[in-house]
Amino acid sequence: MEKESKDIRKLDTDVDKMRIRRKDSEHLKVKENVFDEATLKALYDLARKGVIESLGGSISTGKEANVFLAEGKDKNIALKIYRISSSTFNSMDEYIRGDPRFSNIRHKKKDIIFAWTKKEYRNLMRARECGIAAPRPIDTHKNILAMEFIGEGDKPYPLLKEVKLSEQSAQTIFGTIIHYLELLYSEAKLVHGDLSEYNILLDPSTLEPYLIDMGQSVTLEHPSANDFLKRDIRNLARHFKKYGIQPDEEELLRIITEKQRDK
Ligand SMILES: Nc1ncnc2c1ncn2[C@@H]1O[C@H](COP(=O)(O)OP(=O)(O)OP(=O)(O)O)[C@@H](O)[C@H]1O
Ligand SMILES: [Mg+2]
């Protein structure tokens, strides 16, 4: 644990010092201890393509991915970099196997991670096309997803988990999220699959909730789609209970899946 937090601090400072400039290979070489070679190469490719101008600080170090702030073409972007080395790809495999869009991938670890990254890109795209507030995906390459940065200046918006809301605001936000789940289900034909107060960012001034972290989202054909949706609803209901919102989970499930059933 001690060592891990030290590593994380080192990663933060290393990345802070690091500026990827196009064709500036010396700088990147120094960082080989932070990013494995394949990830460095992928970062280069995106820099050469003009997607990344420079790399900023670390936003988050998750179980499977790190998120970094970066400068894109004249604006901040977020880079989600799935870890090739320590990814818990076995759980990814389970999500991808039942998804017809990924039936022909070779089940090699790297391929699964790359497919997973692409899957998050496509899921975000589908969600946005249906009018859901989510980061606009910009590009995907190997294990890197470049997307719109959801925040103010260099600061990401807070997680829903981190904000204290009035009962009235909570009611509004809850309503919006349920509406998004309905759109996600009936229009995008997706179930988020990991929805909770940890995967929703909130714009504090407009109270717009942004759904993030859609790598594990599945299409409705997925054998566990219904169970994932029930779990998403349960997580939301649990979070909003403290604001006096006590939804009937069965009723929510009915509302979210209604339009799709009518078709
Ligand atoms: N587009 C974005 N704009 C701003 N901040 C973001 C964006 N995407 C992610 N973040 C920040 O990074 C954090 C982690 O992102 P995300 O939830 O997608 O990955 P994760 O939970 O680490 O994934 P996993 O643990 O499953 O690998 C978020 O909680 C959020 O604070
Ligand atoms: Mg997350």
Side-chain angles (χ1 to χ4, degrees):
M1 198 62 214
E2 172 77 49
K3 180 171 183 313
E4 196 180 16
S5 63
K6 218 167 166 185
D7 283 349
I8 291 166
R9 271 200 305 277
K10 179 158 177 4
L11 189 140
D12 281 346
T13 45
D14 276 358
V15 168
D16 281 338
K17 279 186 248 152
M18 171 182 184
R19 310 283 285 174
I20 318 174
R21 293 289 170 202
R22 269 174 261 190
K23 299 191 197 99
D24 192 352
S25 61
E26 282 316 301
H27 277 192
L28 276 179
K29 280 222 180 80
V30 183
K31 305 301 164 197
E32 270 165 24
N33 55 341
V34 177
F35 298 116
D36 55 80
E37 216 167 298
T39 303
L40 276 175
K41 166 96 175 44
L43 280 168
Y44 270 137
D45 293 342
L46 284 173
R48 228 182 1 248
K49 219 173 143 187
V51 175
I52 308 172
E53 298 264 330
S54 71
L55 191 63
S58 162
I59 297 175
S60 148
T61 307
K63 286 187 307 298
E64 282 140 11
N66 295 8
V67 179
F68 293 92
L69 179 69
E71 262 176 67
K73 286 189 186 112
D74 61 60
K75 59 180 176 308
N76 278 338
I77 60 172
L79 290 182
K80 184 167 180 176
I81 306 184
Y82 282 96
R83 277 195 296 280
I84 293 180
S85 46
S86 57
S87 248
T88 50
F89 75 99
N90 288 328
S91 68
M92 291 185 178
D93 191 35
E94 181 200 329
Y95 282 93
I96 282 178
R97 264 184 212 279
D99 188 327
R101 296 175 297 170
F102 294 90
S103 57
N104 60 357
I105 65 158
R106 285 178 298 137
H107 283 217
K108 274 170 55 189
K109 184 176 167 177
K110 252 192 204 168
D111 290 339
I112 290 173
I113 292 160
F114 296 167
W116 185 262
T117 312
K118 203 168 271 172
K119 181 157 146 343
E120 175 153 29
Y121 177 96
R122 289 194 208 166
N123 289 340
L124 287 172
M125 191 68 95
R126 265 165 93 147
R128 288 198 39 109
E129 280 166 4
C130 300
I132 293 159
R136 183 175 60 82
I138 297 168
D139 209 338
T140 172
H141 181 54
K142 306 277 179 66
N143 55 327
I144 303 175
L145 167 67
M147 62 185 144
E148 176 190 6
F149 175 73
I150 304 295
E152 175 87 51
D154 285 357
K155 216 172 155 258
Y157 286 153
L159 296 174
L160 181 59
K161 148 112 190 120
E162 297 160 343
V163 280
K164 281 217 158 55
L165 300 166
S166 67
E167 288 197 0
Q168 202 189 349
S169 301
Q171 188 66 251
T172 309
I173 292 163
F174 181 72
T176 307
I177 296 169
I178 295 303
H179 178 57
Y180 285 163
L181 290 193
E182 209 184 314
L183 287 175
L184 201 61
Y185 194 90
S186 61
E187 305 288 328
K189 311 257 188 281
L190 288 175
V191 168
H192 185 287
D194 191 20
L195 198 69
S196 75
E197 62 276 28
Y198 292 90
N199 281 330
I200 298 174
L201 298 182
L202 191 75
D203 178 337
S205 47
T206 63
L207 299 183
E208 174 73 85
Y210 288 84
L211 309 192
I212 63 162
D213 206 355
M214 297 188 65
Q216 70 298 313
S217 304
V218 295
T219 54
L220 306 187
E221 300 95 348
H222 191 283
S224 305
N226 217 39
D227 291 339
F228 292 157
L229 178 58
K230 283 185 191 157
R231 191 176 60 193
D232 287 351
I233 292 172
R234 200 180 320 130
N235 288 341
L236 276 185
R238 184 192 25 74
H239 178 74
F240 280 95
K241 208 158 79 188
K242 64 175 172 216
Y243 297 113
I245 299 170
Q246 289 195 311
D248 175 342
E249 292 178 28
E250 288 291 319
E251 172 74 1
L252 286 179
L253 181 68
R254 202 186 53 72
I255 293 169
I256 291 166
T257 58
E258 192 170 51
K259 285 220 190 80
Q260 174 65 21
R261 275 184 285 114
D262 288 350
K263 274 179 190 162

